[in-house]
Amino acid sequence: MNNSPIGIFDSGIGGITILNSIKNILPNESLIYYSDNINSPYGNKTKKEIQSLSIKKTEFLIEKGCKIIVVACNTATTNSISKLRSNFKIPFVGIEPAIKPAALGTKTGRIGILATKGTLSSELFCSTAKDYASNIKIIEKNAEGLVELIEEGVFNGEQIEKVLKQSLSHMIKKKIDHLVLGCTHYPLLKKTIQLLIPNDIKIIDSGRAVAAQTKRLLVKNKLETNLSEPKYSFYCNGSAKSLNNILNNKFIINTI
Ligand code: DGL
């Protein structure tokens, strides 16, 4: 079991930002990545639809022999992590917008959160905001259309900047000092975002925290590997183009 892979899924290529963080701190672990890009984006789907898609991705990864599942998608986590934990025995790591570190770090008392509609409307997001940020102002924005552009391989340029400016202008006006990237696709735009916001706004994403939590769970469950040559496998159910691009054509993508 210890040499089994870690399973990671997302609605597309966003979860690759998480996979990279996991690879950095767990270099011996084999990884299986599943991009559910035929169903992308998850952000505009109902809770029920997101739960059903998350269950199917989990079943696939368990079938492939995974020992732990990383839900590398804020939308899937905030809408389905408790369902997944009650349906399956395998350990799960989820990702949700990093409200806590932003709330602890803010000096202006205002933080911005960029996420999908599905994440922002979820019960988990609302309860985390209530628990950690009840005394500060959260300015949240659903960056409509951004995930679709990223899935098409657009990371900068006019279209991306237009959506970002629309999403960020109100936050900047309100003097946020922390910007939380609450979708695993958005760190792929970090350079462009940095150019559009004042230098003193700190950008926060949860990649490293998720990787650290994955390591903690492996240790806790005595599931760490001693493999010297880990294997990386990639699956998608739509076009393999965006996954190939983000991975610089270095891996074989299995289309299912
Ligand atoms: N990467 C997913 C997330 O973190 C994208 C959501 C979507 O498919 O809309 O929420």
Side-chain angles (χ1 to χ4, degrees):
M1 186 70 175
N2 285 22
N3 291 340
S4 303
I6 296 173
I8 304 169
F9 79 86
D10 179 40
S11 63
I13 57 172
I16 294 293
T17 58
I18 305 297
L19 175 132
N20 288 335
S21 301
I22 292 176
K23 246 167 108 177
N24 278 341
I25 72 161
L26 293 164
N28 299 325
E29 296 291 341
S30 290
L31 308 173
I32 297 187
Y33 187 85
Y34 188 172
S35 157
D36 187 15
N37 59 339
I38 204 150
N39 293 305
S40 179
Y42 280 7
N44 296 329
K45 294 190 174 2
T46 64
K47 180 175 178 157
K48 242 182 154 177
E49 285 169 329
I50 298 166
Q51 287 184 341
S52 149
L53 291 169
S54 300
I55 288 170
K56 286 197 185 108
K57 304 305 95 63
T58 300
E59 282 167 350
F60 177 88
L61 292 169
I62 290 176
E63 199 135 298
K64 291 280 169 207
C66 293
K67 59 185 172 184
I68 183 170
I69 308 286
V70 179
V71 184
C73 174
N74 291 263
T75 314
T77 300
T78 51
N79 285 279
S80 63
I81 195 84
S82 48
K83 183 96 183 156
L84 294 175
R85 289 195 171 118
S86 67
N87 280 22
F88 301 95
K89 278 206 188 101
I90 193 164
F92 284 93
V93 180
I95 178 165
E96 54 175 313
I99 297 176
K100 191 179 169 188
L104 288 173
T106 182
K107 299 243 163 19
T108 60
R110 297 191 181 104
I111 62 170
I113 303 197
L114 210 56
T116 67
K117 192 172 143 207
T119 294
L120 295 172
S121 62
S122 68
E123 280 164 40
L124 185 57
F125 175 80
C126 296
S127 67
T128 305
K130 214 167 136 203
D131 289 349
Y132 297 108
S134 56
N135 53 349
I136 63 151
K137 176 99 181 119
I138 294 182
I139 297 128
E140 56 187 56
K141 187 79 186 157
N142 155 26
E144 190 81 54
L146 218 49
V147 169
E148 289 91 326
L149 284 170
I150 296 167
E151 284 299 312
E152 281 168 26
V154 186
F155 299 102
N156 46 41
E158 224 175 278
Q159 277 174 298
I160 287 276
E161 283 184 26
K162 192 175 162 209
V163 181
L164 282 174
K165 277 181 189 160
Q166 276 166 356
S167 308
L168 299 170
S169 61
H170 183 60
M171 299 183 186
I172 297 170
K173 245 186 247 154
K174 289 283 173 195
K175 300 259 180 287
I176 59 159
D177 58 0
H178 286 68
L179 173 64
V180 176
L181 304 184
C183 169
T184 53
H185 281 71
Y186 303 161
L188 298 169
L189 305 178
K190 209 164 175 179
K191 280 190 197 144
T192 313
I193 293 174
Q194 235 142 13
L195 294 174
L196 296 174
I197 61 173
N199 285 337
D200 53 359
I201 297 180
K202 190 173 175 197
I203 299 177
I204 303 192
D205 75 72
S206 320
R208 271 208 248 148
V210 171
Q213 175 63 4
T214 306
K215 187 171 180 176
R216 271 195 293 273
L217 264 195
L218 288 182
V219 173
K220 188 178 157 209
N221 291 284
K222 297 192 171 50
L223 286 172
E224 287 170 291
T225 187
N226 52 8
L227 273 182
S228 53
E229 281 183 41
K231 276 196 208 134
Y232 303 119
S233 312
F234 295 88
Y235 293 85
C236 70
N237 50 13
S239 159
K241 198 172 157 209
S242 52
L243 206 47
N244 259 322
N245 280 346
I246 203 91
L247 297 169
N248 298 318
N249 296 305
K250 280 192 190 141
F251 297 91
I252 294 165
I253 315 289
N254 302 286
T255 309
I256 41 176

